Amino acid sequence: MTYQITTLNPDGDVLGDVRRRYKQFWWLYERLAVKYKFLCVPPLPVRQIVVGRYENAFIQQRMGQLQQWLDRICKHPIICVSDVLKHFLFCRDLNLWKSGKRRAEKDYFVGAAFFSMVKCPHDDLQTFAVEEFHDNINNFARNMEESIKMSEQTMQEMNKKYKTAFRRQFIHMGKSLDALAKTFAFYRGERSQELTAAMRHTSRMYTTVGHLFAAQPKLDIKPYAEFLKHYEGLLMSLPDMISFHKDTTSKDEDCRLEVKDGRITSQNADQVHRRAQVVTYALMAEMNHFHKVKTEDFKRSLEIFLQNQIAFFKQIPPKLEEALTVYQSIGTYM
């Protein structure tokens, strides 16, 4: 199975067109994760083997997930200009692919070495500001992880209720009205027959609403749950990033004390301090980007979720009103 990838510029012109297997997506992910330890590289959807009648649906779902993954990394200001991503998106020649793959795997500037390529402001960050920044992102990461998991659990419960409890209750309401209509049918009076027909109409209406509830999650609950799962994966990068930053700033503080004790020179301590400053600036830049994208992502996802919820619940009042008019059309005894 290969997936076609077409790269467009902002004007919609085609820049490249290649086909890639899942293992090549995985290779790209590994190279990015190894090289950019300080960036939130989203994890790939897990490998699965599906055959039979669910295969086509799974392929469509996997294509959507890979599209979302590529969109995410292509929007990152650092990753989008990386050589390894360009190689993945544009290389069509097999020999060039192999040589470029070997070159990427021998890249020296990965992990901590990548920071030697980072340019940052020369303004010295104050210790209290660095500590406050570190505490803020640590608290943010912990609280967002908890809130994402809570939201995911809520979506799971809603999905289950829509497909089972809500569906069952409305269908049971329909069945109970149908049973009542069968009872009324024993009396052949004209008005009784009209009422029986109205009950049967209402029974069908409630059954329809029950099926609407069962079908709705795939339109709003499931997409939003998948979005939350995507962000849960993004958050997995933060603990290592925060831990690395903590180790770096702690080393900086230790070196300052060692200078006072005469165990190292101030020049060596300044070098460590400068590296710590680069790491802090890099983390600040990444978190600023993360928060900016996160805001837009959640705004758009919740807008879509609410639009679909509104569209769903708007279907129900007209059905109730139609059922009501059937009863109102039955004459009354004088």
Side-chain angles (χ1 to χ4, degrees):
M1 169 61 65
T2 60
Y3 301 94
Q4 181 175 334
I5 303 171
T6 303
T7 305
L8 308 175
N9 66 13
D11 296 326
D13 301 321
V14 176
L15 300 178
D17 190 1
V18 297
R19 299 193 73 88
R20 296 286 184 253
R21 302 180 69 85
Y22 178 84
K23 67 178 183 179
Q24 292 171 307
F25 278 90
W26 185 257
W27 173 82
L28 174 61
Y29 165 72
E30 286 186 323
R31 299 323 308 162
L32 294 175
V34 169
K35 183 174 180 65
Y36 302 115
K37 292 288 188 181
F38 234 56
L39 303 182
C40 292
V41 180
L44 271 176
V46 296
R47 182 189 296 273
Q48 296 179 4
I49 300 177
V50 179
V51 295
R53 63 193 181 99
Y54 297 110
E55 184 175 3
N56 290 334
F58 170 77
I59 291 173
Q60 293 299 317
Q61 181 185 24
R62 172 53 53 87
M63 287 174 60
Q65 292 171 337
L66 293 176
Q67 178 70 59
Q68 183 186 42
W69 185 80
L70 274 178
D71 288 344
R72 168 72 61 179
I73 63 175
C74 287
K75 290 178 182 178
H76 195 284
I78 302 298
I79 298 177
C80 72
V81 296
S82 65
D83 291 337
V84 66
L85 178 59
K86 293 177 182 177
H87 182 63
F88 177 84
L89 292 177
F90 300 114
C91 184
R92 302 184 67 177
D93 183 88
L94 180 59
N95 291 328
L96 291 177
W97 168 262
K98 291 180 179 179
S99 62
K101 184 172 179 286
R102 289 192 296 268
R103 186 167 57 252
E105 291 168 355
K106 293 179 180 179
D107 187 1
Y108 171 77
F109 296 101
V110 299
F114 174 74
F115 290 105
S116 62
M117 304 174 62
V118 176
K119 294 182 179 180
C120 64
H122 293 287
D123 297 336
D124 202 41
L125 296 168
Q126 299 298 314
T127 301
F128 76 89
V130 174
E131 292 176 348
E132 182 180 25
F133 167 70
H134 181 86
D135 291 340
N136 284 339
I137 60 172
N138 193 33
N139 290 332
F140 162 77
R142 184 177 62 254
N143 281 278
M144 186 167 185
E145 180 182 9
E146 293 174 355
S147 60
I148 287 289
K149 288 182 178 179
M150 181 186 299
S151 298
E152 283 187 285
Q153 183 178 356
T154 300
M155 290 300 103
Q156 290 174 1
E157 292 172 353
M158 284 184 65
N159 179 63
K160 183 177 180 180
K161 287 180 179 179
Y162 270 56
K163 291 183 175 181
T164 57
F166 294 163
R167 172 183 176 274
R168 184 169 56 248
Q169 289 301 316
F170 278 94
I171 290 178
H172 281 181
M173 180 66 178
K175 288 180 177 179
S176 67
L177 283 168
D178 185 62
L180 194 60
K182 290 178 180 178
T183 302
F184 275 59
F186 283 106
Y187 179 64
R188 298 294 182 178
E190 179 181 352
R191 287 171 43 77
S192 181
Q193 290 181 10
E194 291 178 350
L195 182 59
T196 299
M199 288 180 174
R200 285 174 174 163
H201 177 86
T202 308
S203 170
R204 292 191 296 271
M205 181 272 297
Y206 274 108
T207 300
T208 299
V209 172
H211 290 307
L212 287 177
F213 268 97
Q216 184 62 23
K218 66 182 180 182
L219 301 177
D220 46 29
I221 296 174
K222 186 176 179 180
Y224 185 58
E226 291 176 350
F227 167 75
L228 293 171
K229 179 63 69 175
H230 175 73
Y231 256 87
E232 183 182 13
L234 279 176
L235 292 174
M236 291 172 61
S237 304
L238 292 183
D240 288 343
M241 294 163 58
I242 294 171
S243 177
F244 182 77
H245 180 255
K246 182 62 176 178
D247 292 342
T248 304
T249 54
S250 296
K251 179 65 175 177
D252 183 24
E253 294 174 3
D254 292 341
C255 286
R256 294 180 190 181
L257 296 176
E258 290 177 1
V259 169
K260 294 180 180 180
D261 296 339
R263 286 182 286 177
I264 64 172
T265 65
S266 59
Q267 184 179 4
N268 289 336
D270 288 342
Q271 292 176 350
V272 173
H273 177 67
R274 189 57 192 165
R275 285 197 294 269
Q277 292 280 293
V278 170
V279 169
T280 299
Y281 271 117
L283 181 56
M284 285 181 170
E286 177 61 12
M287 293 309 300
N288 285 338
H289 173 73
F290 181 88
H291 287 305
K292 179 180 178 180
V293 174
K294 174 205 66 183
T295 300
E296 293 302 316
D297 284 347
F298 273 85
K299 174 183 179 297
R300 182 175 63 254
S301 294
L302 286 169
E303 282 179 349
I304 294 173
F305 176 79
L306 289 173
Q307 287 168 356
N308 282 293
Q309 283 275 287
I310 290 170
F312 167 65
F313 283 106
K314 277 184 174 181
Q315 297 178 74
I316 300 175
K319 297 183 183 302
L320 294 170
E321 291 171 357
E322 181 184 356
L324 176 61
T325 59
V326 176
Y327 291 94
Q328 292 175 334
S329 65
I330 303 173
T332 58
Y333 286 118
M334 300 299 296

